[in-house]
Amino acid sequence: VASLIFLVTAGGGIQNLHLSNILQSSISLSLPETTSFIMANSGNTQSDPIGYVSLSGPGHHLIAQAIINHTSALILPSSSILMSVNLPTHNSLFTLPGIYTLKLVYGHSGSSKLTSISKSFLYINLPLIVLLVIILIVLVLVIRMTIRKRRRKKNNRKP
């Protein structure tokens, strides 16, 4: 049998959160629906992380935002935890490719000090690119056919 007892002390407690890593590749073929990160507590008391994750697209356009640690999980002293946050993103055919940024703003409950970390990645909307290439090929073929017809008409008019 084991038990864990949490005591609230008057002073002397240090809460020191830091982010070890945001798990996101530098190139992505879809917008992240979930983002994960490792949060560590190097203080001497348990910590209840608070904050949010946001996803911004080209031009700093906000696409999604979600609260971290909505279950109020505690991080014990000298330990770390893998946290995941669901982002309400909608991958669409018309989502523009470009540089997107995940921003994590975090701190611990009871403190007004927040820390911000960002990670940028290149989003390539493959279906949109394929569609644009197909449209471009069709457009080139139509222009070539039109030019050939005009040349034939010119050649046929000469006596």
Side-chain angles (χ1 to χ4, degrees), residues 40-54:
N41 179 5
S42 59
N44 62 6
T45 62
Q46 80 275 359
S47 188
D48 177 14
I50 59 167
Y52 65 91
V53 175
S54 64

PDB file of all heavy atoms in Angstrom, residues 40-54:
ATOM      1  N   ALA A  40       8.399  19.956 -17.711  1.00  0.00           N
ATOM      2  CA  ALA A  40       9.193  19.486 -16.575  1.00  0.00           C
ATOM      3  C   ALA A  40       9.087  20.476 -15.416  1.00  0.00           C
ATOM      4  O   ALA A  40       8.938  21.674 -15.624  1.00  0.00           O
ATOM      5  CB  ALA A  40      10.647  19.312 -16.992  1.00  0.00           C
ATOM      6  N   ASN A  41       9.167  19.943 -14.199  1.00  0.00           N
ATOM      7  CA  ASN A  41       9.130  20.742 -12.975  1.00  0.00           C
ATOM      8  C   ASN A  41      10.448  20.530 -12.242  1.00  0.00           C
ATOM      9  O   ASN A  41      10.695  19.460 -11.692  1.00  0.00           O
ATOM     10  CB  ASN A  41       7.953  20.317 -12.095  1.00  0.00           C
ATOM     11  CG  ASN A  41       7.870  21.100 -10.805  1.00  0.00           C
ATOM     12  OD1 ASN A  41       8.625  22.035 -10.582  1.00  0.00           O
ATOM     13  ND2 ASN A  41       6.943  20.710  -9.939  1.00  0.00           N
ATOM     14  N   SER A  42      11.293  21.547 -12.252  1.00  0.00           N
ATOM     15  CA  SER A  42      12.576  21.430 -11.547  1.00  0.00           C
ATOM     16  C   SER A  42      12.523  22.111 -10.176  1.00  0.00           C
ATOM     17  O   SER A  42      13.555  22.292  -9.535  1.00  0.00           O
ATOM     18  CB  SER A  42      13.701  22.029 -12.403  1.00  0.00           C
ATOM     19  OG  SER A  42      13.435  23.387 -12.677  1.00  0.00           O
ATOM     20  N   GLY A  43      11.325  22.468  -9.731  1.00  0.00           N
ATOM     21  CA  GLY A  43      11.164  23.085  -8.416  1.00  0.00           C
ATOM     22  C   GLY A  43      11.102  22.037  -7.315  1.00  0.00           C
ATOM     23  O   GLY A  43      11.339  20.846  -7.537  1.00  0.00           O
ATOM     24  N   ASN A  44      10.748  22.497  -6.112  1.00  0.00           N
ATOM     25  CA  ASN A  44      10.677  21.560  -4.980  1.00  0.00           C
ATOM     26  C   ASN A  44       9.248  21.340  -4.483  1.00  0.00           C
ATOM     27  O   ASN A  44       9.040  20.765  -3.423  1.00  0.00           O
ATOM     28  CB  ASN A  44      11.593  22.019  -3.840  1.00  0.00           C
ATOM     29  CG  ASN A  44      11.194  23.366  -3.262  1.00  0.00           C
ATOM     30  OD1 ASN A  44      10.162  23.934  -3.633  1.00  0.00           O
ATOM     31  ND2 ASN A  44      12.018  23.884  -2.364  1.00  0.00           N
ATOM     32  N   THR A  45       8.248  21.824  -5.231  1.00  0.00           N
ATOM     33  CA  THR A  45       6.842  21.552  -4.908  1.00  0.00           C
ATOM     34  C   THR A  45       6.117  21.151  -6.193  1.00  0.00           C
ATOM     35  O   THR A  45       6.577  21.436  -7.298  1.00  0.00           O
ATOM     36  CB  THR A  45       6.130  22.792  -4.317  1.00  0.00           C
ATOM     37  OG1 THR A  45       6.125  23.836  -5.285  1.00  0.00           O
ATOM     38  CG2 THR A  45       6.797  23.269  -3.046  1.00  0.00           C
ATOM     39  N   GLN A  46       4.988  20.484  -6.007  1.00  0.00           N
ATOM     40  CA  GLN A  46       4.199  20.108  -7.184  1.00  0.00           C
ATOM     41  C   GLN A  46       3.708  21.362  -7.896  1.00  0.00           C
ATOM     42  O   GLN A  46       3.558  22.410  -7.291  1.00  0.00           O
ATOM     43  CB  GLN A  46       3.035  19.198  -6.811  1.00  0.00           C
ATOM     44  CG  GLN A  46       1.820  19.881  -6.241  1.00  0.00           C
ATOM     45  CD  GLN A  46       1.892  20.125  -4.747  1.00  0.00           C
ATOM     46  OE1 GLN A  46       2.871  19.769  -4.105  1.00  0.00           O
ATOM     47  NE2 GLN A  46       0.866  20.743  -4.187  1.00  0.00           N
ATOM     48  N   SER A  47       3.468  21.220  -9.195  1.00  0.00           N
ATOM     49  CA  SER A  47       3.027  22.371  -9.977  1.00  0.00           C
ATOM     50  C   SER A  47       1.847  21.981 -10.843  1.00  0.00           C
ATOM     51  O   SER A  47       1.771  20.868 -11.350  1.00  0.00           O
ATOM     52  CB  SER A  47       4.180  22.870 -10.846  1.00  0.00           C
ATOM     53  OG  SER A  47       3.840  24.073 -11.464  1.00  0.00           O
ATOM     54  N   ASP A  48       0.928  22.905 -10.993  1.00  0.00           N
ATOM     55  CA  ASP A  48      -0.261  22.721 -11.822  1.00  0.00           C
ATOM     56  C   ASP A  48      -0.127  23.657 -13.022  1.00  0.00           C
ATOM     57  O   ASP A  48      -0.435  24.841 -12.928  1.00  0.00           O
ATOM     58  CB  ASP A  48      -1.501  23.072 -10.992  1.00  0.00           C
ATOM     59  CG  ASP A  48      -2.790  22.986 -11.780  1.00  0.00           C
ATOM     60  OD1 ASP A  48      -2.791  22.409 -12.882  1.00  0.00           O
ATOM     61  OD2 ASP A  48      -3.816  23.503 -11.283  1.00  0.00           O
ATOM     62  N   PRO A  49       0.369  23.150 -14.168  1.00  0.00           N
ATOM     63  CA  PRO A  49       0.583  24.022 -15.323  1.00  0.00           C
ATOM     64  C   PRO A  49      -0.731  24.562 -15.894  1.00  0.00           C
ATOM     65  O   PRO A  49      -1.738  23.863 -15.921  1.00  0.00           O
ATOM     66  CB  PRO A  49       1.258  23.130 -16.356  1.00  0.00           C
ATOM     67  CG  PRO A  49       1.568  21.853 -15.681  1.00  0.00           C
ATOM     68  CD  PRO A  49       0.769  21.787 -14.434  1.00  0.00           C
ATOM     69  N   ILE A  50      -0.681  25.811 -16.323  1.00  0.00           N
ATOM     70  CA  ILE A  50      -1.813  26.434 -17.004  1.00  0.00           C
ATOM     71  C   ILE A  50      -1.287  27.074 -18.286  1.00  0.00           C
ATOM     72  O   ILE A  50      -0.089  27.265 -18.447  1.00  0.00           O
ATOM     73  CB  ILE A  50      -2.500  27.513 -16.125  1.00  0.00           C
ATOM     74  CG1 ILE A  50      -1.480  28.609 -15.751  1.00  0.00           C
ATOM     75  CG2 ILE A  50      -3.130  26.894 -14.896  1.00  0.00           C
ATOM     76  CD1 ILE A  50      -2.113  29.851 -15.169  1.00  0.00           C
ATOM     77  N   GLY A  51      -2.196  27.391 -19.192  1.00  0.00           N
ATOM     78  CA  GLY A  51      -1.790  28.080 -20.413  1.00  0.00           C
ATOM     79  C   GLY A  51      -2.611  27.635 -21.606  1.00  0.00           C
ATOM     80  O   GLY A  51      -3.674  27.034 -21.460  1.00  0.00           O
ATOM     81  N   TYR A  52      -2.086  27.923 -22.785  1.00  0.00           N
ATOM     82  CA  TYR A  52      -2.794  27.556 -24.013  1.00  0.00           C
ATOM     83  C   TYR A  52      -1.817  27.322 -25.153  1.00  0.00           C
ATOM     84  O   TYR A  52      -0.659  27.749 -25.099  1.00  0.00           O
ATOM     85  CB  TYR A  52      -3.803  28.649 -24.402  1.00  0.00           C
ATOM     86  CG  TYR A  52      -3.179  29.977 -24.762  1.00  0.00           C
ATOM     87  CD1 TYR A  52      -2.840  30.266 -26.084  1.00  0.00           C
ATOM     88  CD2 TYR A  52      -2.942  30.937 -23.791  1.00  0.00           C
ATOM     89  CE1 TYR A  52      -2.258  31.487 -26.416  1.00  0.00           C
ATOM     90  CE2 TYR A  52      -2.378  32.149 -24.120  1.00  0.00           C
ATOM     91  CZ  TYR A  52      -2.039  32.418 -25.432  1.00  0.00           C
ATOM     92  OH  TYR A  52      -1.467  33.618 -25.754  1.00  0.00           O
ATOM     93  N   VAL A  53      -2.294  26.639 -26.164  1.00  0.00           N
ATOM     94  CA  VAL A  53      -1.552  26.414 -27.399  1.00  0.00           C
ATOM     95  C   VAL A  53      -2.348  27.076 -28.508  1.00  0.00           C
ATOM     96  O   VAL A  53      -3.572  26.953 -28.567  1.00  0.00           O
ATOM     97  CB  VAL A  53      -1.407  24.903 -27.707  1.00  0.00           C
ATOM     98  CG1 VAL A  53      -0.737  24.686 -29.045  1.00  0.00           C
ATOM     99  CG2 VAL A  53      -0.634  24.205 -26.621  1.00  0.00           C
ATOM    100  N   SER A  54      -1.661  27.793 -29.384  1.00  0.00           N
ATOM    101  CA  SER A  54      -2.338  28.387 -30.540  1.00  0.00           C
ATOM    102  C   SER A  54      -1.601  27.995 -31.814  1.00  0.00           C
ATOM    103  O   SER A  54      -0.399  27.758 -31.803  1.00  0.00           O
ATOM    104  CB  SER A  54      -2.411  29.912 -30.409  1.00  0.00           C
ATOM    105  OG  SER A  54      -1.121  30.468 -30.427  1.00  0.00           O
TER     106      SER A  54
END
